[in-house]
Amino acid sequence: MSSENDAAGAVTLDRRSGPYGEVVLRRRGAHHEIIANGVFLMDTSDGRSERLLIRAAAEALDPAAAAPAVLIGGLGVGFSLAEAAADPRWGRITVVEREPAVIEWHTGPAAGRVSAAGPSSGAPPLAYLSGAALADRRVGLVEADLLDHLATAPYRYDAVCLDIDNGPDWTVTEGNSGLYAPAGLAACRDRLAPGGVLAVWSARPSPAFEAALRTAGFTDVRTEEIPVRRGAPDAVHLAVRPPDGAADGEPDDEADGEPDGAADGAADGA
């Protein structure tokens, strides 16, 4: 991989340009950072709020739910995936990531795809965080746009956990704003089983987004805050699809199928 040093002392390990803009992986001391279109997204220094995203969704589910299925929108540095895989309660665990570079930083280049960073020696740079989780048979990694997956997945989820932006008020690309608009929230609601939980990570609490969740038909809307060293706290917005939402129609008969990560697609395309 390349080793381009920036003025602040970070080492650029990989830099890619693609259909969604530029993504960069940097190492700063012992930690890694992901930058998208010049905007800092996340690093490996903490992970409390990304783990809370999964844990809070699990705690909001009916305790009697057997092997609930969870969709994680955004692989990132792997904290949310690792948290889900560490919990034996989850059944199917599906991770949807649209950036091939992010997937390769965890898995290495897929067959037939040459990394833009050149030949790699040793393990992929983020495998130390996600390798054990990705080896879990419950886990399926899908390379796809999240809205496309929400529209086409052949089953419903008990939890949908989203961490693809810095929050609904601070998106990585302009197109991502559609996920938090009425149509995008409706897609999330419809992909949830009745009583299912939507959890959305945000770099700051958003009262406007809470109002949008209620308008979209969610109930039990609330926000959990995670203090940070400087600035506004990180936040996880939580909302529930009401049980009577089943009247909206099932997208498929497979909502209660057995968990099988292979059914969710492979990292080299979906």
Side-chain angles (χ1 to χ4, degrees), residues 29-50:
H31 300 293
H32 291 83
E33 304 171 338
I34 295 179
I35 315 296
N37 295 316
V39 177
F40 174 88
L41 276 187
M42 60 190 68
D43 65 18
T44 60
S45 64
D46 192 340
R48 287 176 301 153
S49 56
E50 291 92 337

Side-chain angles (χ1 to χ4, degrees), residues 223-250:
T223 300
E224 293 201 16
E225 298 184 3
I226 305 92
V228 297
R229 284 180 295 177
R230 294 187 300 272
D234 291 344
V236 173
H237 295 288
L238 296 157
V240 176
R241 174 176 174 159
D244 61 2
D248 295 338
E250 288 284 344

Side-chain angles (χ1 to χ4, degrees), residues 131-256:
L134 288 169
D136 191 309
R137 64 173 298 274
R138 297 171 297 164
V139 173
L141 180 55
V142 180
E143 183 183 319
D145 179 82
L146 181 60
L147 281 172
D148 290 344
H149 182 79
L150 290 170
T152 60
Y155 34 71
R156 280 184 168 162
Y157 294 96
D158 299 287
V160 171
C161 300
L162 306 183
D163 184 8
I164 63 171
D165 292 294
N166 278 323
D169 301 328
W170 189 1
T171 59
V172 174
T173 61
E174 185 176 347
N176 282 6
S177 60
L179 179 62
Y180 311 103
L185 293 179
C188 292
R189 183 196 64 220
D190 293 345
R191 188 51 55 197
L192 283 166
V197 176
L198 174 66
V200 180
W201 190 93
S202 179
R204 56 177 175 250
S206 175
F209 185 59
E210 286 191 352
L213 288 168
R214 294 186 179 96
T215 300
F218 289 97
T219 61
D220 300 316
V221 175
R222 61 186 176 89
T223 300
E224 293 201 16
E225 298 184 3
I226 305 92
V228 297
R229 284 180 295 177
R230 294 187 300 272
D234 291 344
V236 173
H237 295 288
L238 296 157
V240 176
R241 174 176 174 159
D244 61 2
D248 295 338
E250 288 284 344
D252 199 284
D253 293 332
E254 296 183 38
D256 299 319

